[in-house]
Amino acid sequence: MSPPPISRLLAGLAGAVALSATPAPPPGPLEARMLRLTELLDTRLPGILGVDGAVLRLQPRLGDLRDRDYLRLPLELRRGIADRTELAVGITPFTANPFRRGPDHRHGPGELRLELRRELRLPAGSAWRADAGLEARLPLGRPPAALNDGFAHLTPNLALSRPSPGWPGALAYAEARHDWGLPYPVRPAERRVARRRWDATAALGLLYQPEAWGGFVEHHLRRVGEGRTAFAAPESRVGVVWAVPVARSRAWGLPGLWRAEVAYRRVHVARPGAEFASGLVTRVRWNLRLRAPSVTDRASPAEPRSPRSR
């Protein structure tokens, strides 16, 4: 990549001085991995922390303030348990929305989430990166139906990505996943407020993020089955992403690494339900490093990196 123009460099230096008298140090190896984009809204991209890496992630669903009687506050601990393997344990508690009233205007523990991911070895010299994972979600207490329908869910998935040659900052990506609703003995059948279902999705997307700001487009081929019936629910998205520069977040007194995503989604299905409604979707992600990486937690020089980690 060619060096930035002098005018751009001077403007960046002036902005850093205005934000803080003491410039923040450059991100370390684990911070570089944390800055690497591993999710766009609910689409998974490849990215493993590496052995001994540990990160606490908070992802408040601010869109719930507008759309739901409750606000979800997903909290997750991700830890590298081997050189190419990562374990995640999370909980999604919910609390009453102060701006809306309704039958789900309450609070509770919500849902427990467990995930195991493994980085796949690809042929030497391949520009592709790939992860495979297995996720399990279990209801806790009596969560709202849109948070968890009262069934346990098991979801295998595969994520791939590849930087675009000759177009710095561009990343093509894809994900395939299949979600199964399974009987959950702790939850009595009479309390279930939704029918048992399966949900299969294949997503294709393109991200362009040369600096902190970026944009993306996605298309999801989705099919949902309930009982003996099934229907298609394809979806298109266009959005922007902002990886808050480390110097700026530290100047604001915010620890960790922050990212915000906003997109408009259009669902092409003639079926009622909040999950099939078109409109704006948002994510705010906060990552806090809990443990310093070991010497093995370093990106290989040949390892493809996302636009933000360049």
Side-chain angles (χ1 to χ4, degrees), residues 44 117 120 130-133 156-160 174-177:
R44 191 66 165 86
R117 297 202 65 79
L120 304 180
D131 289 355
N157 61 80
L158 175 68
L160 303 104
E175 184 200 16
R177 64 176 180 262

Side-chain angles (χ1 to χ4, degrees), residues 80-99:
I81 58 176
D83 193 31
R84 296 185 294 117
T85 306
E86 178 181 278
L87 177 66
V89 179
I91 187 172
T92 306
F94 63 98
T95 188
N97 184 347
F99 304 107

Side-chain angles (χ1 to χ4, degrees), residues 163-187:
S164 179
W167 191 12
L171 187 75
Y173 58 91
E175 184 200 16
R177 64 176 180 262
H178 197 298
D179 179 277
W180 280 284
L182 304 173
Y184 189 53
V186 176
R187 189 80 181 270

Side-chain angles (χ1 to χ4, degrees), residues 47-130:
I48 299 295
L49 285 174
V51 64
D52 290 338
V55 170
L56 184 67
R57 176 178 295 174
L58 178 64
Q59 304 177 80
R61 302 297 176 85
L62 299 182
D64 290 349
L65 292 172
R66 179 195 64 224
D67 300 328
R68 304 185 188 277
D69 302 334
Y70 57 90
L71 173 65
R72 291 169 292 174
L73 301 167
L75 182 66
E76 178 183 77
L77 174 64
R78 306 191 76 91
R79 191 184 190 285
I81 58 176
D83 193 31
R84 296 185 294 117
T85 306
E86 178 181 278
L87 177 66
V89 179
I91 187 172
T92 306
F94 63 98
T95 188
N97 184 347
F99 304 107
R100 289 175 60 99
R101 297 269 179 184
D104 289 326
H105 187 264
R106 51 194 175 92
H107 61 272
E111 182 181 73
L112 176 67
R113 178 178 171 274
L114 304 170
E115 183 185 24
L116 185 68
R117 297 202 65 79
R118 177 75 172 173
E119 181 180 351
L120 304 180
R121 291 192 184 276
L122 300 179
S126 174
W128 288 91
R129 301 177 68 236

Side-chain angles (χ1 to χ4, degrees), residues 53 244 281:
V244 181
V281 287

Side-chain angles (χ1 to χ4, degrees), residues 1 37 40 45 127-128 161-173 205-211 213-217 304-310:
M1 182 181 294
L37 198 62
L40 268 176
L45 279 69
W128 288 91
S161 68
R162 185 183 191 278
S164 179
W167 191 12
L171 187 75
Y173 58 91
L206 178 64
L207 166 72
Y208 179 62
Q209 190 180 7
E211 301 294 343
W213 286 92
F216 63 96
V217 292
R305 294 175 292 175
S306 76
R308 184 64 186 95
S309 61
R310 284 192 175 93

Side-chain angles (χ1 to χ4, degrees), residues 215 265 284:
R265 73 170 192 166
V284 175

